[in-house]
Amino acid sequence: MRKPAAARQKDVLTVLGASQRPMTAYQVLERLQVGEPNIAPPTVYRTLSALTDQGRAHRLESIKAFVPCRCSHVESVPVLAICEDCGLVEEHDGSDLLPKLTALTDKSAFRADRHIVEIHGQCATCAA
């Protein structure tokens, strides 16, 4: 029997939230298959897509992985600081960036659907 979308989304968010590092869709799939061996990749991809569309998870474009959203982004820009050494992802509120990004893209009449800023470097622990 198929799970309702809300239950599936809760399962995926639980897996993402339990991880200390960003997870690829296939890593999420592997974790879910422990309790649900017949779950298929398209199900996980659809669920991750729905969660990112809802703002409940973020897709880290640069590393093709996902993290749960840990902030509220109603009129904001998530700024994700990704540690290149340990994989830690810190989420920051980039509200003050939104007007600047909008002004920048308005110059070329570009309409942004969503804003996400990724910064790569080292976290405080790894930089020490």
Side-chain angles (χ1 to χ4, degrees):
M1 183 174 172
R2 291 177 57 172
K3 279 190 174 185
R8 177 71 62 214
Q9 290 173 9
K10 183 179 177 197
D11 292 347
V12 169
L13 283 174
T14 298
V15 168
L16 288 175
S19 178
Q20 295 297 317
R21 297 198 162 128
M23 299 181 74
T24 66
Y26 272 91
Q27 289 170 326
V28 172
L29 175 67
E30 288 172 2
R31 295 267 174 90
L32 291 174
Q33 284 177 329
V34 170
E36 203 174 344
N38 294 329
I39 190 169
T43 301
V44 173
Y45 278 108
R46 278 192 302 272
T47 303
L48 286 165
S49 178
L51 289 169
T52 56
D53 288 347
Q54 296 166 13
R56 298 171 63 201
H58 298 296
R59 182 175 193 274
L60 303 172
E61 304 288 340
S62 61
I63 59 173
K64 297 181 177 111
F66 297 85
V67 292
C69 179
R70 301 191 194 283
C71 296
S72 174
H73 303 290
V74 177
E75 286 295 321
S76 173
V77 175
V79 177
L80 304 168
I82 305 163
C83 181
E84 294 283 350
D85 293 339
C86 72
L88 175 75
V89 177
E90 296 175 352
E91 184 170 349
H92 304 278
D93 181 358
S95 296
D96 54 332
L97 296 175
L98 190 55
K100 294 174 185 174
L101 290 172
T102 301
L104 182 70
T105 56
D106 280 351
K107 291 177 185 177
S108 63
F110 182 82
R111 273 191 69 203
D113 293 327
R114 61 190 173 107
H115 301 85
I116 297 176
V117 176
E118 295 182 31
I119 303 170
H120 290 261
Q122 290 181 312
C123 68
T125 303
C126 292

